[in-house]
Each structure stands twice: as structure tokens, then as C-alpha cells.
Amino acid sequence: MKKIVILISGRGSNMRAIVDACMSQKWPAQIAAVISNKADASGLAYAAGLGIDTAVVVSKEFSSREAFDCVLQQTIDEYSPDLVVLAGFMRILTPAFVEHYAGRLLNIHPSLLPSFTGLATHRQALDAGVKVHGATVHFVTAELDHGPIVAQAVVPVKADDTEDSLALRVLEQEHVIYPQAVRLFVEDKINITGHIVKVSE
Ligand code: GAR
């Protein structure tokens, strides 16, 4: 039984999709905890309501990234997770933190990486005039939004799209591919060789 810790910063809709799929599809996994860097993250209540442990490490109370990541790591490691899932966790992580979870730290990013790293990805896509956009699940490495790619979903960009309409279309696909990718991990179907992820069936 694999143990998963999920990190969120806000509404946690991807966390919900993963929790729901884990339970309804009876993965060989347990959501050990949901941890937020913000006390008012609305996703926390959903997890707590299902009896999942929740914790908050308030990032703005720390004077440095290193100090925050150190306490965050201690909080996570109390659960001895096999996998740590970033689900809308809006923090840049220190190299030491990323190294500690190498090969067991997943993120979802709302663009077709390597295009549109960083923030405001839907604005970036509209400004670039791309005709397709999407989302990427990837392992986290020290270079922001550049780790080995596990899964991607493509959505069309429509002529009358706004940032909000495009974000909604992408988010629907995030809720499909993130649970799929986490399931592959907990079922030991993912192999990373260098920068390439291979999925076995
Ligand atoms: C999602 O769209 C996710 O891809 C994005 O934040 C949103 C969180 O939504 N993540 C990033 O931008 C990470 N750089 P959620 O809290 O409802 O899952």
C-alpha cells in the first residue's frame, strides 16, 4: 500500500480528483495527508471531511525559503510517503527539498510543457496565439517546470476564448490526467530513464 501526501495552496480541485479516484478505483494506495501552505485553502475542508489528516505550514511566517521547506519536509516525512503530489501548490521549492523527494515528487502544470512555464499560462497561450494548449504532469526537478513528463492533455484554443474559459477547459483535462498519472505511479508502472518517462502496462 503506497502512501501519498498531497500539497495544495487553494481550492484543491486536482487533490479532490485524485482522492476520489484513489477511493472509488481502490488503488493500492492511501492518501496519508493533505498539507497546505495557506490556512484558508478551501481544499483542506474536503480532505478533513473524508477523515484524511490535514496540516498547515504557513509559508508567510518563514523568513526564508529554506526555513519553510525544512519544516514542510519534516511535516511531510511524518507520514513516510512513497509519493508527494503537488496539486496547485504555488511555491517554488528549494533544490534541497526537490532532491530529497527525487523520483517521488509529481506536479501538474497548466500548459503543454516545455511551453509557458511559470505563472499566467493561459494568458501566455492566448498572447502567443497558439491553437492548442493543455496541461502536463511531470516529475519535479530543480529547474522550474522542466522535469520528466509523465502525461499531457491537449485542448483546442477557440477564437473567443478568455483566460477563464481556457483555464476551465484545461482544468477539466487536469482532473483526468492527474489521477491517471498518480495511479500509474502507485501501480509501479512508471520508469524514469534520464529525462524520459516510460509507462509499462
Ligand atoms: C491548477 O490549474 C494547476 O494546474 C495550477 O494551479 C491550479 C490549481 O487548481 N498549478 C500551477 O499553476 C502550478 N505552477 P486546484 O487547486 O483546483 O487543483
Side-chain angles (χ1 to χ4, degrees), residues 112 115-116 125 129-134 153-158 166:
L112 290 172
S115 293
F116 313 138
V130 293
K131 303 305 177 212
V132 292
H133 183 43
V154 179
V155 305
V157 179
K158 298 184 179 170
L166 188 52

Side-chain angles (χ1 to χ4, degrees), residues 20-81:
D20 292 351
C22 180
M23 290 177 171
S24 67
Q25 298 169 10
K26 301 194 174 17
W27 296 354
Q30 173 208 357
I31 310 298
V34 174
I35 299 173
S36 175
N37 65 315
K38 292 191 173 177
D40 61 358
S42 57
L44 288 169
Y46 184 82
L50 291 172
I52 296 169
D53 273 14
T54 60
V56 179
V57 184
V58 181
S59 43
K60 65 180 182 204
E61 288 177 359
F62 291 83
S63 57
S64 71
R65 248 179 226 296
E66 287 73 17
F68 170 73
D69 280 8
C70 186
V71 173
L72 179 64
Q73 185 176 313
Q74 287 166 3
T75 309
I76 295 168
D77 285 351
E78 282 172 26
Y79 294 94
S80 306

